Amino acid sequence: MSDLKVSDRATVDMDSWVCPVPLRDSPNIVMGHGGGGAMSGELVEHLFLPAFGASAVAGLSDSAVVSVGGVRLAFSTDSFVVKPMTFPGGSIGDLAVNGTVNDVAMSGARPLVLSTAFILEEGTTLASIAHVAEAVGAAAQIAGVKLVTGDTKVVDSGHGDGVYINTSGIGIIDEGIDIRPERARPGDVVIVSGDIGVHGVAILSCREGLEFGTTIRSDTAALNGLVADMIATGADLHVMRDPTRGGVAASLNEIARSAGVGVSLSERALPVPPEVRDACGLLGLDPLYVANEGKLLAFVDPADADKVLAAMRNNPLGGRAAIIGSVVAEHPGMVVAKTGLGGTRVVDLPAGEQLPRIC
Amino acid sequence: MSDLKVSDRATVDMDSWVCPVPLRDSPNIVMGHGGGGAMSGELVEHLFLPAFGASAVAGLSDSAVVSVGGVRLAFSTDSFVVKPMTFPGGSIGDLAVNGTVNDVAMSGARPLVLSTAFILEEGTTLASIAHVAEAVGAAAQIAGVKLVTGDTKVVDSGHGDGVYINTSGIGIIDEGIDIRPERARPGDVVIVSGDIGVHGVAILSCREGLEFGTTIRSDTAALNGLVADMIATGADLHVMRDPTRGGVAASLNEIARSAGVGVSLSERALPVPPEVRDACGLLGLDPLYVANEGKLLAFVDPADADKVLAAMRNNPLGGRAAIIGSVVAEHPGMVVAKTGLGGTRVVDLPAGEQLPRIC
């Protein structure tokens, strides 16, 4: 009987599991496993995917494309555990909507519906939950998505942190659109939609004990409108990605690996606001590795770069869009930046976590 | 600019929120808000829905039906916080797959794909996560669903409990199928697919300090195959529901309220295994209120009851299916049970939580 199989496995001796070599530095979960960098990737590749076995599709990426009854759907999920739950420029409620809307939109889909699942900690004030829920509702309205199904769980005090939110989203991909990391190819122009590093620095700046004098507000925003404007140009968009955890560096590395191409960046071209540069300087952070929540990277056919850039700059969320590099045939799988001083440096995939719990 | 609206709300004074009257017993989240009973319903009705505003569809039920490009999809989400993470008969990994598969299947959909989002607590052993992930993979394989997209977050030690899992699922609803709570109508026969109260008692029995002598194993199972067998009979299935949190009592009350009908139960007809009856007796629990994770309730046109019951009994997961009551025009919105002694009693919607964190 098929259900017996599941039951019997519950008696498996936990000690019999052999930790795969790449994970052996630690037998336990550490914060870096949640950082969106190399350690997160290793956990997926060497623990989750082997354990899931034949049930998982290869890669298990941020967003899946699923064909159902002749319709191509984009389907994505994200849990949000940002600390603190409210910060300059937004709250966990805004992030929960915008993060999933953006993941869905990055495959060129039009996001339509979201689910919301709350894990509430016993003792949290109803008022704070209400404000987070209001942020969810307002962000969904701005993004033009409907909240269609939900779930609420409560965990005992000391086993949560106020509220954790999972959102999952479904979008529809119109015919003729094929946007995915594997499509990056030499010659592509790499565009970023605006200032980088803002969200991560905003979170840091409001955490206890870290003040920089100026208030930096998170850039959290839904990018599906911006994506629609870009698609409407008729340009051949090859790749889009929102550079959240691990920042621009992590996203570009992942795309370079997926497509087997190199990415050449110009550091001078990176739009880094002065207050982010200052904060990063004080803290020893590199803005390329700091999370964004309202920005996207686009890899575009060079013939189309100008019209895409023009369309982006016409949208308030792309007003400071800039070309920051290009795809090259050299150093496949690697990102190399030309520094301001004329040298070059390798922009590695980050290992773990510069800033824990930023989303 | 639309994104400014969201940003500005972050400065709202939290104290200005006025707690709606039905929630005023406590200004804070209590365990009962997660129990799937009246308090959970109040939180959704008086806090989440007003806060979400126009972005939410009415009800925000366990599973939504969404039409996309001419295809009817069932879409559902659930977070799992069961304690302990492994128990006789299964683990949080089994529940996470089966729970969402079942929610999708209860609208008559064929579940196709799942997302998995893990919130891991710092310090949890990789071995325990691997075993949970193996349970996810095995359960998905048994249910015939693919794991297509995922997410991993890590929270610091003391802000989680090993692992919490969210799964969201998409299924397709074939033409001609219309299964939803509002379709319950007087005359309908109410069927349960098997023994009730097993999962909740299994969880209790393995929690520290509570032993009953016998090991009761959770009934966690994916019911989509059973549902397919029921649909294949061609019967007019009006309502299906998996009676998880709050048990059979909560599910029947919700259906009675949704459809504006009464439900008449026969206590004698309820399949309660002796070990569940004994454990409930010792603990002062009512099996009608104890959670199930591998059972379903079906409301069926009386002309079709026999063939549905026969089909269910032919499936290992419905081997002990039984008719437990019927829908009546009297006492709309209420569930009334005929007791073993010939009397009647009202089976209320539970207020809060008999057993916290059972799923």
Side-chain angles (χ1 to χ4, degrees):
Chain A
M1 222 177 73
S2 61
D3 55 324
L4 272 180
K5 275 201 229 158
V6 177
S7 301
D8 289 344
R9 275 189 11 288
T11 62
V12 162
D13 177 9
M14 304 282 268
D15 299 332
S16 69
W17 186 72
V18 177
C19 192
V21 173
L23 299 176
R24 280 199 189 156
D25 287 349
S26 157
N28 300 326
I29 293 292
V30 297
M31 295 307 290
H33 286 124
M39 293 181 72
S40 295
E42 284 169 1
L43 199 68
V44 171
E45 187 182 341
H46 298 289
L47 190 150
F48 282 114
L49 283 177
F52 288 168
S55 299
V57 300
L60 263 192
S61 64
D62 281 356
S63 177
V65 176
V66 184
S67 284
V68 178
V71 179
R72 279 192 307 160
L73 304 175
F75 179 35
S76 184
T77 192
D78 252 323
S79 292
F80 295 85
V81 299
V82 63
K83 184 178 187 165
M85 72 168 86
T86 299
F87 45 80
S91 75
I92 191 172
D94 302 303
L95 285 190
V97 171
N98 295 336
T100 293
V101 163
N102 292 347
D103 278 346
V104 169
M106 291 306 117
S107 53
R110 290 182 282 116
L112 301 175
V113 296
L114 290 190
S115 63
T116 58
F118 288 75
I119 298 176
L120 307 174
E121 187 185 12
E122 185 188 17
T124 308
T125 66
L126 295 183
S128 62
I129 303 301
H131 280 287
V132 166
E134 283 169 7
V136 167
Q141 186 146 25
I142 290 169
V145 293
K146 285 286 179 192
L147 310 171
V148 294
T149 184
D151 178 54
T152 309
K153 293 291 191 309
V154 177
V155 293
D156 17 332
S157 180
H159 290 294
D161 205 354
V163 56
Y164 299 144
I165 308 178
N166 177 280
T167 51
S168 300
I170 302 176
I172 189 166
I173 304 177
D174 292 322
E175 266 183 55
I177 292 176
D178 182 18
I179 300 173
R180 53 194 164 88
E182 297 78 11
R183 286 199 69 215
R185 58 185 184 220
D188 278 2
V189 168
V190 180
I191 300 173
V192 68
S193 64
D195 290 339
I196 68 170
V198 180
H199 175 73
V201 169
I203 295 295
L204 255 189
S205 73
C206 74
R207 283 199 187 145
E208 201 176 2
L210 291 170
E211 296 193 3
F212 305 115
T214 56
T215 298
I216 299 169
R217 300 170 73 80
S218 169
D219 61 343
T220 180
L223 297 172
N224 50 332
L226 178 62
V227 169
D229 290 353
M230 295 164 70
I231 288 174
T233 64
D236 190 1
L237 302 166
H238 295 163
V239 187
M240 288 196 291
R241 181 67 71 95
D242 55 332
T244 55
R245 283 183 295 177
V248 169
S251 292
L252 291 180
N253 269 281
E254 284 164 21
I255 295 165
R257 290 176 189 198
S258 295
V261 298
V263 172
S264 172
L265 270 190
S266 163
E267 282 203 342
R268 281 199 169 168
L270 290 171
V272 184
E275 59 274 26
V276 169
R277 195 176 293 281
D278 290 350
C280 286
L282 279 169
L283 294 162
L285 300 176
D286 182 337
L288 274 174
Y289 292 87
V290 178
N292 314 274
E293 290 289 340
K295 299 295 164 4
L296 64 81
L297 297 165
F299 286 52
V300 184
D301 190 287
D304 290 334
D306 286 346
K307 69 179 174 187
V308 171
L309 207 54
M312 292 174 79
R313 288 178 176 160
N314 258 335
N315 184 304
L317 294 174
R320 285 178 49 77
I323 293 174
I324 60 169
S326 60
V327 177
V328 295
E330 295 80 44
H331 53 80
M334 282 175 67
V335 179
V336 174
K338 291 180 189 127
T339 65
L341 301 170
T344 60
R345 66 164 174 135
V346 173
V347 179
D348 259 339
L349 188 64
E353 180 96 47
Q354 274 195 328
L355 314 169
R357 294 182 58 186
I358 46 87
C359 65
Chain B
M1 223 178 75
S2 60
D3 55 325
L4 271 179
K5 274 200 229 159
V6 177
S7 301
D8 288 343
R9 275 187 11 293
T11 62
V12 163
D13 176 9
M14 304 282 268
D15 299 332
S16 68
W17 186 72
V18 177
C19 191
V21 172
L23 299 176
R24 278 198 192 157
D25 287 348
S26 157
N28 299 327
I29 293 292
V30 297
M31 295 307 290
H33 286 124
M39 292 180 73
S40 294
E42 284 169 4
L43 198 68
V44 171
E45 186 183 342
H46 297 289
L47 190 149
F48 283 114
L49 284 176
F52 288 169
S55 299
V57 300
L60 263 192
S61 65
D62 280 356
S63 177
V65 176
V66 185
S67 284
V68 178
V71 179
R72 278 192 307 159
L73 304 175
F75 179 36
S76 184
T77 192
D78 252 324
S79 291
F80 295 84
V81 300
V82 63
K83 185 177 187 166
M85 71 167 87
T86 299
F87 45 80
S91 76
I92 190 172
D94 302 303
L95 285 190
V97 170
N98 295 337
T100 292
V101 162
N102 292 348
D103 277 346
V104 168
M106 290 306 117
S107 54
R110 290 182 283 117
L112 301 174
V113 296
L114 290 190
S115 63
T116 58
F118 288 75
I119 298 177
L120 307 174
E121 186 185 13
E122 186 188 16
T124 308
T125 65
L126 295 182
S128 62
I129 302 301
H131 281 287
V132 166
E134 283 169 8
V136 167
Q141 187 147 24
I142 290 168
V145 294
K146 286 285 178 192
L147 310 171
V148 294
T149 184
D151 178 54
T152 309
K153 293 292 192 308
V154 177
V155 293
D156 17 333
S157 179
H159 290 295
D161 205 354
V163 55
Y164 298 144
I165 307 178
N166 177 281
T167 51
S168 299
I170 303 176
I172 189 166
I173 304 176
D174 292 323
E175 266 182 55
I177 293 176
D178 183 18
I179 300 173
R180 53 195 164 87
E182 296 78 11
R183 286 199 68 215
R185 58 186 183 219
D188 279 1
V189 167
V190 180
I191 301 173
V192 68
S193 64
D195 289 339
I196 68 169
V198 180
H199 174 73
V201 169
I203 295 295
L204 254 190
S205 73
C206 74
R207 283 201 187 145
E208 203 177 0
L210 291 170
E211 296 193 5
F212 305 114
T214 55
T215 297
I216 299 169
R217 300 169 72 80
S218 169
D219 61 343
T220 180
L223 298 172
N224 50 332
L226 178 62
V227 169
D229 290 352
M230 295 164 70
I231 288 174
T233 63
D236 190 2
L237 302 165
H238 294 163
V239 187
M240 288 196 290
R241 180 67 71 95
D242 55 331
T244 55
R245 284 183 295 177
V248 169
S251 291
L252 291 180
N253 269 281
E254 283 164 21
I255 295 165
R257 290 176 190 198
S258 295
V261 297
V263 173
S264 172
L265 271 190
S266 163
E267 281 202 344
R268 282 198 170 169
L270 289 171
V272 184
E275 60 273 25
V276 169
R277 195 176 294 281
D278 290 349
C280 286
L282 279 170
L283 293 162
L285 299 176
D286 182 338
L288 274 174
Y289 292 88
V290 178
N292 314 275
E293 290 290 339
K295 298 296 163 6
L296 64 80
L297 296 165
F299 286 52
V300 184
D301 191 286
D304 290 334
D306 287 346
K307 69 179 174 186
V308 171
L309 206 54
M312 292 174 80
R313 288 179 176 160
N314 258 335
N315 185 304
L317 294 173
R320 286 178 47 78
I323 293 175
I324 60 170
S326 61
V327 177
V328 295
E330 296 80 43
H331 53 78
M334 282 175 68
V335 180
V336 175
K338 290 180 189 128
T339 66
L341 301 171
T344 61
R345 66 165 175 134
V346 172
V347 179
D348 257 341
L349 188 64
E353 180 96 45
Q354 274 194 326
L355 313 169
R357 294 182 57 186
I358 47 87
C359 64

